[in-house]
Amino acid sequence: MFRDDHESLLTRLCDTSTRVVYFPVRHHSPMCAAMVSRLIGDMRPAAVLIEGPSDFNPYLDELRLNHDLPIAIYSYFGDEAGRRSGAYYPFCDYSPEWQALQAARAAGAPVRFIDLPWVSTAHLESAVQRYADAELRRGRYVELLCERFGVESFDDLWDTMVESEPILTVSEFLRRVHSFCTNVRLWEDSTPLSDLRREDFMADEVRRALDEFDGRILIVTGGFHSSALVSLLDDGQRLQEPAGLTDPLAEAPSESAPAGIAIVDRGITLTPYTYARLDSLTGYNAGMPNPGFYDHVWQSHLRGEPLQHQPLLAELANSLRKRKQVVSTADLIAVEASACTLAALRGRSHVWRRDLVDAVTSALIKDELEFGCESPFLEAVHGVLRGTRRGKLAEGTRQPPLVADILNQLARAGLDPQNTRTDLELNLLDPADLAKSRLLHRVKVLEIAGFTLTGGTDFFSRRELVRLWEKWQVQSRYDFDATCVEASRYGATLAEAAAARLLELARLQQHEAKLAAELLVAAVRADVHELSDELLTQLEVLIRNAASFLDVSGALGHLLYLYCHDEAFGTTHSSRIGGIALEAFYRAVWLLESLGQTADEVSLLAALRVLLETFERGEALLGLNRVEFLAVLQRVQQDQGKQPAVRGAVAGMLWTLGECSSETILEQMLAFSDPTNLGDFLNGLFALAREVVQRNPDLVQAIDQLLLEFATADFQVALPSLRLAFTSFTPREKHYMLQTLFDSLGLQTLKPLEALAVDTLTAASALAFEERLFEAAQRYGLE
């Protein structure tokens, strides 16, 4: 665009005497909030059109209720492909959109939200925080200005140009912000399709408002969109639209989801929000950082006082002392002096956010900060600048059906989410407790705040199945209401929502059979049977195509539990689960024979235990082929390309199944008598034949003899893997094995062992040093 055209565009944007006035904002900017309030008061527009979800317009009166901010409009939808998505439009006291709502109400001006509903652009973009700054942050123009102003980031650039200015008139503000935002837009190579679509929609909404209202209209949108709206409304074309090129929207699908996929559910409501959530946003969702600081700026503005940083500094001192960080009066004086000096050097009449952060960094942090490591001092300052405000919806606010269903079901179960804390212990064989467990698991699947599974039977590792129980902690959480509202994108009832969430997770999991089986266990625990069928079908496909022995055996372990042990949840001897377990077993056996080297011996031995347990429990129940299974094990055991731990484990499997004699095991162990291999072989053997090993004195004596023959250096080489191998046994079992050895050697009864005064590695090092000392003494003829 030529310079004259550029100036003409800026003149039109900054003209407040025309029928349509454009007010540019950066979302959550106190300066923008103050200026829009002043402009509405001076202008008294016939209507105020605000960038916000137009599908919330029927519910605008809900924003007049006595909410504690921050809150957010939450828009959500689900499509027939199972995708669920939600987006937020947050409001703080100092959000310009919120202040425009309040000022318009005070001026008696009607208000409309004019942005395209989230459901219509969700498939085109990833940002779910709709009042973000992605458009303004990108581009070479921002980089050049940062270099020119000598600042590090867009946030510092904005503060320098706009927020930290003590006195700005509305006209100065409009000129400065419109100029900046227009240049950001003009320097872009292209504009995202979602922005073009939204701007077309907003222009249409403005045209409708011009037909509906007499008098002047104020348009409050992100500054990035203002110049585009002027071009669309005044010139009838898009900004920077090259002549003769195809309209980028002409070929774009107009549905609210990808072509051919229909929306099956949608809704829009209010939800509580927090400053912590605002401050944690990054990437496409990033907005103004440190909301606590800008809230302090806003409160100073409301009181008509100059900004004072001393309250923030006092809060920082208290925060550091609570964190047990030593901070003296001299340190605080140094921070104060540094902050004031930095502010003066940067041409500010008062200390700003960046000045405080840099002052703390220079005055309190004495050591170099490593990349990726945060300083407790910086954590404290950012904690203070973040703020702690948490929103709360006013009584009587409309809520999605799911919220009422969750509250009703919790009440019927005698569970009050508003209690300070309740600890529940549930017996899963008791029908009433089982019903509570299923309810809590549904709530857990939806990640509703305040419900934590803290103990009980681990149905994933299944280390202890003697007692089927669970322990839950139910406690009041400030974000309980928000998480209930936000889970509404999954459905109107708790059962429907839990099923939809698990289905979403299942569709995201298209590669690992083990994770799909874990989802099946979660679905069973939450009593979501309609989903279980779909998961079983998916699991069948994943198992057939799996190339990982560990993955298939992990899935097999979960299937075996559900088929053989699931007394509580009712899947025992399910023909469908049994059929898939059978397929998983044979797939795992096939993959075992082609197994290569793996460093994860712990997972590998656990997988082989699952295979052995499946055969022991399922030989009769599932009709497993014993001859075929044993043939594979024998081939694997004889395969010299397999690692020692695998060959030891398979030998242990054959021994446990009675298909291998103790003499054969001794022969195989001698083949691995090298110090680098012995411990690995025994690790596998002990892991899979733990009971048999303890009852065999010949094996224990043979291991003792091998170790006695090792030279000191060889013993030290073998020691780490030997220690790992013997971790398969409890201290009592190891004591029993040693007693067995003493008995076989005709030695006296073993007394209870006294604990070493040092750890075993230190003792081994001392023995090795002693051995070297004796060797040296003998070599030099010393006694």
Side-chain angles (χ1 to χ4, degrees):
M1 182 175 286
F2 295 107
R3 180 178 181 84
D4 291 343
D5 294 332
H6 188 188
E7 286 299 322
S8 173
L9 177 61
L10 279 179
T11 300
R12 284 186 287 168
L13 283 168
C14 298
D15 191 349
T16 58
S17 64
T18 57
R19 188 174 177 207
V20 178
V21 177
Y22 301 89
F23 188 91
V25 304
R26 182 188 179 190
H27 306 296
H28 313 305
S29 158
M31 182 64 79
C32 292
M35 291 295 165
V36 76
S37 297
R38 187 184 306 174
L39 179 59
I40 291 174
D42 295 341
M43 180 181 167
R44 312 294 291 186
V48 177
L49 309 183
I50 301 172
E51 180 186 332
S54 57
D55 49 341
F56 194 78
N57 281 330
Y59 314 109
L60 278 173
D61 284 346
E62 292 181 8
L63 293 174
R64 296 188 175 193
L65 298 177
N66 190 28
H67 306 293
D68 292 335
L69 270 60
I71 62 172
I73 295 174
Y74 180 64
S75 177
Y76 59 91
F77 73 91
D79 60 34
E80 62 182 2
R83 186 178 65 140
R84 307 280 171 161
S85 185
Y88 306 87
Y89 300 78
F91 298 105
C92 307
D93 281 331
Y94 58 84
S95 297
E97 296 84 1
W98 183 260
Q99 289 304 318
L101 286 165
Q102 309 311 310
R105 180 182 178 187
V111 172
R112 298 282 190 278
F113 284 145
I114 59 169
D115 202 356
L116 193 63
W118 160 246
V119 68
S120 300
T121 60
H123 62 292
L124 296 175
E125 54 185 321
S126 60
V128 297
Q129 208 284 78
R130 306 308 298 155
Y131 288 155
D133 300 322
E135 303 95 341
L136 296 180
R137 291 176 179 273
R138 60 188 179 226
R140 179 61 181 154
Y141 181 71
V142 173
E143 294 177 9
L144 287 173
L145 279 186
C146 286
E147 292 175 11
R148 180 73 59 85
F149 279 83
V151 296
E152 297 179 2
S153 67
F154 165 70
D155 295 314
D156 294 329
L157 176 65
W158 177 267
D159 281 348
T160 301
M161 293 194 310
V162 179
E163 297 297 335
S164 62
E165 288 289 339
I167 301 174
L168 272 181
T169 64
V170 172
S171 61
E172 289 171 339
F173 169 87
L174 291 175
R175 184 76 185 179
R176 189 171 298 189
V177 176
H178 273 313
S179 178
F180 170 74
C181 295
T182 300
N183 278 297
V184 169
R185 180 71 180 251
L186 293 175
W187 280 53
E188 279 208 329
D189 294 330
S190 62
T191 301
L193 182 60
S194 59
D195 284 331
L196 296 178
R197 177 167 290 166
R198 291 172 58 208
E199 287 161 357
D200 278 358
F201 184 87
M202 285 191 272
D204 287 341
E205 291 295 293
V206 174
R207 294 185 188 103
R208 274 191 283 272
L210 289 170
D211 292 337
E212 180 180 357
F213 301 105
D214 295 327
R216 293 193 297 160
I217 291 175
L218 178 65
I219 303 175
V220 180
T221 65
F224 183 82
H225 304 296
S226 298
S227 54
L229 290 176
V230 167
S231 290
L232 286 169
L233 291 169
D234 291 0
D235 304 331
Q237 64 177 15
R238 291 190 186 87
L239 190 66
Q240 291 180 294
E241 184 176 288
L245 290 187
T246 303
D247 184 342
L249 289 179
E251 303 300 324
S254 59
E255 293 88 352
S256 54
I261 300 178
I263 300 299
V264 296
D265 182 37
R266 63 185 294 180
I268 192 163
T269 188
L270 294 178
T271 185
Y273 218 67
T274 66
Y275 277 0
R277 292 182 73 177
L278 270 180
D279 194 53
S280 66
L281 300 170
T282 57
Y284 287 111
N285 289 302
M288 295 276 281
N290 302 141
F293 172 79
Y294 292 104
D295 184 84
H296 179 69
V297 172
W298 178 250
Q299 298 303 324
S300 298
H301 164 74
L302 291 181
R303 293 191 298 268
E305 301 172 353
L307 179 65
Q308 300 292 330
H309 66 280
Q310 287 81 5
L312 295 174
L313 193 56
E315 193 176 343
L316 171 62
N318 290 333
S319 175
L320 287 170
R321 286 163 181 158
K322 286 178 183 177
R323 293 166 180 255
K324 309 298 183 185
Q325 295 295 322
V326 178
V327 54
S328 65
T329 303
D331 289 330
L332 293 176
I333 292 172
V335 173
E336 165 75 10
S338 296
C340 291
T341 301
L342 287 169
L345 287 171
R346 290 164 178 166
R348 290 194 270 260
S349 60
H350 45 259
V351 171
W352 201 253
R353 179 183 66 91
R354 172 56 62 185
D355 305 325
L356 275 175
V357 173
D358 289 347
V360 168
T361 303
S362 63
L364 299 184
I365 299 177
K366 306 297 192 289
D367 301 319
E368 181 181 358
L369 286 176
E370 295 184 13
F371 179 76
C373 297
E374 190 64 87
S375 160
F377 294 105
L378 284 181
E379 287 179 2
V381 72
H382 284 302
V384 169
L385 298 180
R386 178 182 305 118
T388 58
R389 288 192 64 174
R390 300 167 179 167
K392 184 178 180 181
L393 298 180
E395 291 291 332
T397 304
R398 176 184 56 91
Q399 292 187 320
L402 177 65
V403 178
D405 190 49
I406 291 174
L407 292 173
N408 289 338
Q409 292 201 40
L410 290 174
R412 286 199 298 270
L415 302 173
D416 185 357
Q418 302 306 322
N419 281 346
T420 304
R421 174 170 167 172
T422 302
D423 291 310
L424 294 174
E425 189 168 306
L426 304 177
N427 174 10
L428 299 182
L429 297 180
D430 177 83
D433 281 359
L434 179 59
K436 284 185 181 179
S437 169
R438 286 170 167 168
L439 169 62
L440 290 168
H441 276 288
R442 289 179 177 183
V443 167
K444 181 174 179 287
V445 162
L446 294 173
E447 300 178 351
I448 304 300
F451 300 86
T452 308
L453 180 63
T454 58
T457 306
D458 187 339
F459 290 96
F460 293 106
S461 69
R462 297 174 293 280
R463 292 190 182 91
E464 179 57 65
L465 294 174
V466 175
R467 178 185 172 208
L468 300 182
W469 67 290
E470 289 175 346
K471 187 175 183 181
W472 290 83
Q473 185 182 97
V474 180
Q475 61 180 349
S476 177
R477 283 281 300 271
Y478 69 88
D479 49 350
F480 169 77
D481 292 332
T483 52
C484 286
V485 169
E486 291 156 28
S488 298
R489 66 184 182 274
Y490 293 109
T493 67
L494 183 55
E496 177 187 338
R501 172 58 177 159
L502 286 168
L503 181 60
E504 179 181 68
L505 292 173
R507 287 172 174 170
L508 291 172
Q509 178 45 253
Q510 298 291 336
H511 304 291
E512 294 185 48
K514 180 183 177 183
L515 295 180
E518 288 178 359
L519 283 176
L520 177 63
V521 174
V524 169
R525 297 175 80 178
D527 197 30
V528 183
H529 291 295
E530 64 273 16
L531 175 65
S532 302
D533 291 336
E534 183 162 344
L535 279 172
L536 286 169
T537 301
Q538 179 188 24
L539 194 52
E540 282 181 303
V541 174
L542 288 172
I543 288 170
R544 287 193 197 109
N545 298 319
S548 166
F549 171 70
L550 295 181
D551 184 34
V552 175
S553 57
L556 177 61
H558 297 314
L559 291 167
L560 178 67
Y561 165 72
L562 293 174
Y563 185 73
C564 293
H565 305 295
D566 189 17
E567 302 171 26
F569 302 113
T571 61
T572 305
H573 297 169
S574 160
S575 59
R576 182 84 188 280
I577 291 177
I580 300 176
L582 182 66
E583 185 163 354
F585 175 79
Y586 283 118
R587 183 69 178 176
V589 170
W590 183 80
L591 289 167
L592 172 62
E593 195 162 7
S594 58
L595 184 68
Q597 300 289 317
T598 176
D600 189 359
E601 284 191 4
V602 174
S603 298
L604 184 58
L605 296 179
L608 289 167
R609 276 195 296 269
V610 168
L611 207 59
L612 177 61
E613 183 185 359
T614 303
F615 184 79
E616 288 179 318
R617 297 185 179 278
E619 183 180 9
L621 284 174
L622 297 173
L624 301 178
N625 189 319
R626 186 180 185 89
V627 174
E628 183 179 332
F629 181 54
L630 294 178
V632 171
L633 293 184
Q634 287 163 356
R635 289 197 297 271
V636 171
Q637 205 287 318
Q638 295 167 9
D639 184 353
Q640 296 186 7
K642 294 287 189 289
Q643 58 200 86
V646 172
R647 296 179 68 185
V650 172
M653 294 169 74
L654 289 166
W655 199 11
T656 299
L657 293 171
E659 298 294 333
C660 186
S661 66
S662 57
E663 291 78 11
T664 304
I665 294 295
L666 289 174
E667 291 176 7
Q668 292 171 353
M669 184 182 72
L670 290 175
F672 291 92
S673 59
D674 184 274
T676 59
N677 292 328
L678 179 62
D680 292 334
F681 177 85
L682 291 178
N683 188 28
L685 180 68
F686 291 171
L688 273 296
R690 181 165 161 259
E691 298 296 333
V692 188
V693 167
Q694 294 176 68
R695 298 193 300 269
N696 195 287
D698 292 340
L699 178 68
V700 176
Q701 190 171 349
I703 295 172
D704 178 61
Q705 187 60 40
L706 275 176
L707 297 181
L708 287 174
E709 293 174 359
F710 279 171
T712 303
D714 290 340
F715 181 74
Q716 283 198 297
V717 169
L719 183 59
S721 56
L722 286 170
R723 292 183 64 203
L724 178 62
F726 278 93
T727 58
S728 293
F729 304 106
T730 65
R732 183 181 294 275
E733 289 169 339
K734 283 182 274 194
H735 188 270
Y736 173 76
M737 291 174 69
L738 195 55
Q739 181 64 62
T740 301
L741 175 64
F742 274 43
D743 292 343
S744 67
L745 296 174
L747 301 176
Q748 64 181 5
T749 302
L750 183 65
K751 295 180 180 179
L753 295 177
E754 296 182 6
L756 285 172
V758 296
D759 62 79
T760 53
L761 277 179
T762 303
S765 298
L767 288 172
F769 173 76
E770 183 181 75
E771 184 76 17
R772 292 195 300 274
L773 182 63
F774 289 153
E775 287 176 356
Q778 186 177 13
R779 187 164 59 250
Y780 292 104
L782 301 175
E783 292 296 334

